Amino acid sequence: MLKVKVTKRNTVAASASFFWWKRIYVSALFCKLSSDEQQAVIAHELYHCENHHSEWRALALLFPKWMKQMCHRQEFEADLFAAKLGYGHALIKVLSRFGEGGNIHPATAERIKVIEQFTLRTKSREAGAFASLSGVT
């Protein structure tokens, strides 16, 4: 069961899970975000919970050589999940204001670039599909 809890940590949000036990922690910073930004953050953290990223990270402690690479991949996956739901621009705003790279998170600029590229590809495909449906060539 997923629960959202308020924390006093100095981060916008975080998640933790252990199989069926899933938590998303939000802070006072989260409450200052717009509705779209909040939904982007929740979508990102939900992806971590639903895909058992905490469990994989705990396992990766046995193989520290792969930890950073795996964590970065998980962050990109969670970012793209939020973007697929239509919150790419909102997530970029949050990352621009609060993002920070590190051992677990890739560099903010790199994350934003990946989200922007995904959003551009998606819009390009949508425009192509619309043009073919409307008979425009």
Side-chain angles (χ1 to χ4, degrees):
M1 172 186 287
L2 176 70
K3 290 187 179 183
V4 178
K5 300 222 173 218
V6 178
T7 181
K8 292 182 181 181
R9 292 177 61 188
N10 194 23
T11 184
V12 174
S15 59
S17 61
F18 188 72
F19 300 103
W20 63 89
W21 183 89
K22 301 170 190 303
R23 300 289 184 270
I24 294 175
Y25 298 95
V26 298
S27 70
L29 293 173
F30 177 85
C31 298
K32 295 178 182 180
L33 301 176
S34 71
S35 177
D36 276 355
E37 291 169 339
Q38 288 178 343
Q39 291 177 34
V41 169
I42 293 294
H44 174 96
E45 297 302 337
L46 178 63
Y47 188 87
H48 284 309
C49 288
E50 291 301 315
N51 288 279
H52 306 282
H53 287 176
S54 292
E55 294 90 329
W56 284 108
R57 288 177 185 190
L59 245 135
L61 291 172
L62 301 171
F63 307 97
K65 180 173 150 181
W66 299 319
M67 180 71 150
K68 184 176 179 178
Q69 180 182 355
M70 183 192 66
C71 289
H72 284 206
R73 180 182 47 78
Q74 291 174 343
E75 290 303 322
F76 286 124
E77 289 173 355
D79 289 346
L80 291 178
F81 177 74
K84 286 176 187 174
L85 294 177
Y87 298 111
H89 291 295
L91 188 57
I92 287 172
K93 284 183 189 176
V94 174
L95 289 171
S96 296
R97 286 171 43 205
F98 302 106
E100 53 189 59
N103 286 335
I104 292 178
H105 294 91
T108 301
E110 189 178 357
R111 292 174 71 183
I112 289 171
K113 181 180 175 184
V114 168
I115 296 166
E116 286 174 338
Q117 288 173 343
F118 171 81
T119 305
L120 286 173
R121 279 194 317 270
T122 303
K123 284 185 180 180
S124 175
R125 269 185 260 149
E126 289 171 355
F130 177 75
S132 66
L133 288 173
S134 63
V136 176
T137 54

